[in-house]
């Protein structure tokens, strides 16, 4: 006979239970109300809301049900502080939702995460039109906000100063900036960031329809991480040249995953530890970097010089192509501090590899991905030996190999025969080579005259 287990969870005090429920979506914490009389209204004491419009059945009056639910939650204990207010109402238009967000801010919310609705249906003609849901003005003076995430929202010009003394994390995507209409300047990213003296992490995705912000500028002494992630859409062709400028002497990590802007300007990135680049310095799809364009050449040169103190770097095939084209008309600056590189080199640009490595004299760890194309007209060859192979490179990893052929062998032999201090070469295959076993590859490589006799070869 099985003995009933003690309900240890219910023995916990209510404040501890509500803290645990805070980490669940609200729809799940509501489900606990059926457990017992004690649990019936316990979810209303949770110091946060995590709600998605998809949690409600889709029908014409859905937004009213969601508003009623939110109002009940906010009014149940109006004097209590909120730790989290996370609402996705991207599917439905909620009248006066700005007031509900303002209420959450007034109650000392620490985490604000809002995904706004961008469309509304006209009651008269039944047609759907674009709209902008604006955030409340008291957001700009929140003394408790630690994390702010806004998607597809609007920000008005503030009436006074912007000052959020505790804000450390900010994620802004598809924002629209608007003037108050009283003659003031339009709110912008620079002004918002300048009012956050302890901001550490910023993620920013420009609205693809923003044709007003000629210069988007980030100036911060506290910022440590900046990310411009991939956002599928069509940027460019807006009739104005849009520039992104970042001036952050404390920045340690920068990730640019997409070309959101026509120009990129970096200043005072003296603490930079890692960069992750997947850009081609051209916003419009289908276009490539033009080495004959003097302004673009200067932009790339200034950008590379501005990040030259970095220690770790990841670059995509698109960025490698730009650097390869630039190297034919300009000099890539020295990255004397760089010790680790992860790069995707198209096989058509493989001969640029020694040129690029020459600018990395102290490189110790190299991860290469080389998508080999068998149908090539130009002879595959690596000749020049950069300084890092002679005195610095200790670990080489070649990833995502599909097969083992002449080109793959040439790449491996180039490094084995020229790297004087190489400790380990790792070859990682995606599946099994068609005609060669691991033993065959290992024996073929061991028959080479290795510049570093103690180099270990690993096939994975």
């Amino acid at each position: 006979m099985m003995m009933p287990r003690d309900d240890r969870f219910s023995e916990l005090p209510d404040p501890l239970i509500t803290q645990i429920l805070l980490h669940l979506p609200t729809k799940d914490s509501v489900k606990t109300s059926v457990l017992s009389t004690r649990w019936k209204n316990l979810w209303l004491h949770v110091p946060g809301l995590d709600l998605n419009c998809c949690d409600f059945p889709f029908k014409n009056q859905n937004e009213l049900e969601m508003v009623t639910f939110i109002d009940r939650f906010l009014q149940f204990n109006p004097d209590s502080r909120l730790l989290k207010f996370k609402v996705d109402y991207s599917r439905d238009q909620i009248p006066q939702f700005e007031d509900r967000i303002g209420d959450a801010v007034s109650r000392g919310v620490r985490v604000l995460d809002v995904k706004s609705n961008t469309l509304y249906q006209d009651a008269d003609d039944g047609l759907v039109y674009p709209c902008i849901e604006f955030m409340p003005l008291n957001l700009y003076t929140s003394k408790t906000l630690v994390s702010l995430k806004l998607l597809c929202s609007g920000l008005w010009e503030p009436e006074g100063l912007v000052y959020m003394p505790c804000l450390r994390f900010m994620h802004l995507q598809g924002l629209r900036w608007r003037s108050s209409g009283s003659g003031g300047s339009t709110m912008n990213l620079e002004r918002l960031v300048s009012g956050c003296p302890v901001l550490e992490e910023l993620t920013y995705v420009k609205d693809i329809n923003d044709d007003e912000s000629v210069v988007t500028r980030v100036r911060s002494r506290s910022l440590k991480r900046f990310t411009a992630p991939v956002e599928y859409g069509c940027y460019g062709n807006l009739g104005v040249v849009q520039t992104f400028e970042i001036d952050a002497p404390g920045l340690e990590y920068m990730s640019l995953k997409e070309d959101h802007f026509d120009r990129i300007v970096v200043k005072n990135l003296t603490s930079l530890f890692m960069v992750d680049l997947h850009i081609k310095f051209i916003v419009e799809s289908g276009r490539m970097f033009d080495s004959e364009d003097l302004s673009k050449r200067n932009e790339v040169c200034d950008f590379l010089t501005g990040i030259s103190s970095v220690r770790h770097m990841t670059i995509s095939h698109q960025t490698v192509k730009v650097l390869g084209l630039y190297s034919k008309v300009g000099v890539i600056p020295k990255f004397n501090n760089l010790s680790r590189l992860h790069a995707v080199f198209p096989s058509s640009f493989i001969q640029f590899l020694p040129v690029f490595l020459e600018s990395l004299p102290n490189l110790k760890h190299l991860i290469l991905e080389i998508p080999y194309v068998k149908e090539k007209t130009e002879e595959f060859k690596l000749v020049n030996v950069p300084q890092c192979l002679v005195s610095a490179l200790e670990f080489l990893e070649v990833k995502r190999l599909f097969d083992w052929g002449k080109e793959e062998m040439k790449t491996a032999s180039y490094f084995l025969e020229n790297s004087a201090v190489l400790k380990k070469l790792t070859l990682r295959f995606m599946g099994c080579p068609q005609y060669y076993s691991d033993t065959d590859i290992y024996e073929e490589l061991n028959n080479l005259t290795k510049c570093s006799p103690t180099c270990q070869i690993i096939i994975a």
Side-chain angles (χ1 to χ4, degrees), residues 16 46 81 180 208 219 242 284 323 363 371 399 425:
L16 183 54
V46 175
R81 291 190 61 180
S180 60
I208 62 175
R219 287 178 177 171
Q242 296 188 321
E284 298 172 40
L323 298 181
L363 184 68
K399 298 176 64 176
L425 166 64

Side-chain angles (χ1 to χ4, degrees), residues 69-86:
F69 184 93
I70 294 173
D71 287 346
R72 180 190 175 193
F73 178 85
L74 293 175
Q75 294 168 9
F76 182 79
N77 196 358
D79 296 327
S80 65
R81 291 190 61 180
L82 291 178
L83 298 181
K84 178 172 69 174
F85 191 81
K86 179 180 180 180

